[in-house]
Amino acid sequence: MKTSTIKVFSLFIAGIFFVTSCKDEKNKDKANFIQENVDFAKAQTLKMLEATGEPTGKNYPRTANENGTLRVTDMYDWTPGFFPGSLWYIYELTGDTTWRNSAEKWTHSLEPLKTYTGNHDLGFMMYCSYGNAARLAPKPEYKDILIESAQSLSTRYNEKVQSIKSWNGGRAWGDTTKWSFPVIIDNMMNLELLFNASKISGDKKFYDIAVKHANTTLKNHFREDFGSFHVLDYDTITGDVRFKGTAQGFSDNSTWARGQAWAIYGFTMVYRETQDSSYLNTAKHLADFFIKNLPADFVPLWDFNVGQTGYTPQGKSYAIEFQEKLKDASAAAIVSSALFELGEMTQNKSYTDTATKMLYSLASPNYRAALGTNANFLIMHCVGSIPHRSEIDVPLCYADYYFLEALVRYKNLK
């Protein structure tokens, strides 16, 4: 073999060795990152379980009080499904049956909600809990509970509007509009319960309701730049839109970060369930808007337009006097999880890379709590609703849930 050929061959072998070594090192770093976060989640959540005691139907972790102590809710709040769901994700990440037992106990405590028709959040309440239970440790009764929950959610669907009603009333902040059939962007998240019920029951009506709601949202909820409105109100006689604005965002014409997050996650999920490319294209446009407006640490402001010229809060909104540019880590957690799925669907590495950067930022000391602090929640610096003067710069149970889901999706990334 000629000397030049030997050199080329040696360089080729060295190149392969270098690439393989880098890949091995990267995989090792990923495994260490996941393990460190799983260990922290276990330790912190054990403290949460000690603080709550056994489930009573009235002690689901939601956030922290102003004095830093744990604030819980009863099962009829919109958030009780997230803590059982977090327990299921810890079980999925560890395989430890101790976590499965805790998850089952907290999930079973929510069974009475299967007949609840008081709001649109039954997907959050029952699919984050029983949906994960059916996926990870199925029992025959879970199927009936999920189907009955979907039936209860379906009672809020209006054929003229072709949407599921979110709230039972309310007003715009300027008091100029009293809502009769409000539909909020968050409602996209509850469609997964319906898609699942259609598959396990064979009843297409659940699928049809979900698709019609998604289509109405697609038609009316977004601006030309794919920023989103939070609240739309519909006329139930004509089906026409009566109002476009916000409840939890900065102003009626602004884009509330968590609302945009729900939309990205929701339309990614609807594409998964339907394979209709219009939903995938929408998810990409919504994600591109979100990513384009991210700061350097990949955690968004609570509203993308807070304090900007041309965006003015109205009426009784606390955002009129409170215009601090706070971050909302809950929005980042939701989008990180969604982008892992969107990246896989589109084979677009940039979405996966952004999801990973968001996850690492959330796991940094800037957003992940120290053990035993933060009322034993995992993630800090979230915003519930500044306009309502509620849950400002606090932990939120759904930030933890989607952080853990993102961790699961990162671990399973091909």
Side-chain angles (χ1 to χ4, degrees):
M1 187 180 290
K2 294 181 179 179
T3 303
S4 59
T5 304
I6 293 172
K7 285 182 178 178
V8 170
F9 182 73
S10 298
L11 286 170
F12 176 70
I13 295 299
I16 291 175
F17 180 77
F18 178 75
V19 170
T20 303
S21 297
C22 289
K23 188 175 181 180
D24 288 345
E25 193 64 31
K26 188 176 180 181
N27 288 338
K28 184 179 177 182
D29 289 345
K30 175 182 174 179
N32 289 340
F33 171 82
I34 291 168
Q35 190 59 55
E36 195 274 330
N37 277 282
V38 170
D39 289 345
F40 168 73
K42 287 162 51 182
Q44 187 80 325
T45 307
L46 278 173
K47 291 180 178 295
M48 178 70 83
L49 286 168
E50 291 170 7
T52 57
E54 296 294 302
T56 64
K58 298 179 179 180
N59 62 337
Y60 302 94
R62 172 160 173 161
T63 184
N65 294 306
E66 288 186 9
N67 64 1
T69 57
L70 175 65
R71 181 182 154 212
V72 298
T73 67
D74 67 24
M75 71 171 65
Y76 296 100
D77 182 65
W78 73 276
T79 63
F82 291 116
F83 184 60
S86 291
L87 297 173
W88 281 115
Y89 281 134
I90 295 174
Y91 168 60
E92 185 171 9
L93 287 161
T94 63
D96 184 340
T97 55
T98 302
W99 292 102
R100 185 190 69 197
N101 294 340
S102 291
E104 285 178 334
K105 190 185 302 181
W106 282 87
T107 295
H108 296 167
S109 72
L110 295 175
E111 184 176 353
L113 291 174
K114 65 188 179 184
T115 58
Y116 182 63
T117 59
N119 64 37
H120 70 112
D121 286 311
L122 218 55
F124 285 128
M125 298 153 86
M126 297 301 274
Y127 199 72
C128 294
S129 53
Y130 276 99
N132 279 310
R135 182 175 63 88
L136 294 169
K139 293 184 178 181
E141 61 266 29
Y142 294 165
K143 176 180 175 180
D144 291 337
I145 290 169
L146 286 165
I147 293 169
E148 191 166 1
S149 298
Q151 181 59 47
S152 297
L153 177 59
S154 298
T155 64
R156 300 184 67 83
Y157 175 75
N158 181 290
E159 183 62 35
K160 188 66 181 180
V161 176
Q162 301 224 319
S163 283
I164 298 165
K165 186 177 184 179
S166 296
W167 300 325
N168 298 325
R171 288 180 176 273
W173 283 109
D175 275 343
T176 54
T177 305
K178 184 178 180 180
W179 299 326
S180 61
F181 196 97
V183 177
I184 62 175
I185 193 65
D186 320 36
N187 214 341
M188 286 297 301
M189 300 293 287
N190 294 293
L191 303 185
E192 193 165 10
L193 173 66
L194 299 179
F195 283 121
N196 174 261
S198 186
K199 282 186 284 190
I200 63 178
S201 69
D203 192 338
K204 192 169 179 289
K205 75 175 181 183
F206 299 124
Y207 179 97
D208 291 342
I209 289 172
V211 166
K212 288 175 182 178
H213 183 97
N215 288 342
T216 302
T217 303
L218 181 57
K219 178 182 176 183
N220 297 319
H221 250 95
F222 307 117
R223 306 182 185 94
E224 287 186 10
D225 65 354
F226 282 92
S228 55
F229 290 100
H230 179 205
V231 184
L232 267 67
D233 187 47
Y234 290 91
D235 187 313
T236 56
I237 305 300
T238 65
D240 294 337
V241 176
R242 298 175 62 243
F243 168 85
K244 292 185 177 186
T246 198
Q248 289 168 262
F250 183 68
S251 65
D252 283 341
N253 61 334
S254 71
T255 296
W256 175 49
R258 194 165 72 249
Q260 191 79 4
W262 295 137
I264 295 164
Y265 191 114
F267 277 95
T268 301
M269 174 272 297
V270 174
Y271 172 71
R272 182 216 311 148
E273 298 298 332
T274 65
Q275 295 299 298
D276 184 328
S277 61
S278 64
Y279 303 130
L280 182 63
N281 291 333
T282 299
K284 290 192 292 185
H285 287 309
L286 295 167
D288 292 345
F289 177 99
F290 195 98
I291 293 166
K292 181 179 69 176
N293 288 285
L294 283 174
D297 70 353
F298 292 89
V299 176
L301 299 179
W302 70 276
D303 188 293
F304 290 113
N305 305 111
V306 60
Q308 293 181 1
T309 302
Y311 299 89
T312 306
Q314 289 186 317
K316 301 173 183 177
S317 171
Y318 184 55
I320 291 172
E321 58 183 283
F322 187 95
Q323 298 199 13
E324 187 176 340
K325 294 186 175 182
L326 294 179
K327 299 291 191 72
D328 181 12
S330 75
I334 296 158
V335 172
S336 177
S337 182
L339 288 180
F340 279 121
E341 183 169 33
L342 186 60
E344 191 170 2
M345 287 173 171
T346 59
Q347 293 298 295
N348 186 335
K349 190 173 181 293
S350 69
Y351 289 138
T352 307
D353 287 346
T354 302
T356 305
K357 289 171 182 174
M358 278 185 178
L359 184 61
Y360 274 71
S361 185
L362 289 168
S364 75
N366 293 331
Y367 295 101
R368 205 192 75 183
L371 183 64
T373 68
N374 202 40
N376 298 319
F377 290 94
L378 309 180
I379 301 298
M380 306 181 289
H381 304 312
C382 304
V383 172
S385 180
I386 284 175
H388 292 91
R389 201 169 187 170
S390 173
E391 298 175 333
I392 300 173
D393 195 17
V394 292
L396 290 167
C397 57
Y398 42 92
D400 288 9
Y401 175 87
Y402 289 104
F403 173 75
L404 290 168
E405 183 179 78
L407 199 62
V408 168
R409 289 178 169 182
Y410 180 51
K411 182 180 180 181
N412 294 337
L413 195 64
K414 296 175 183 176

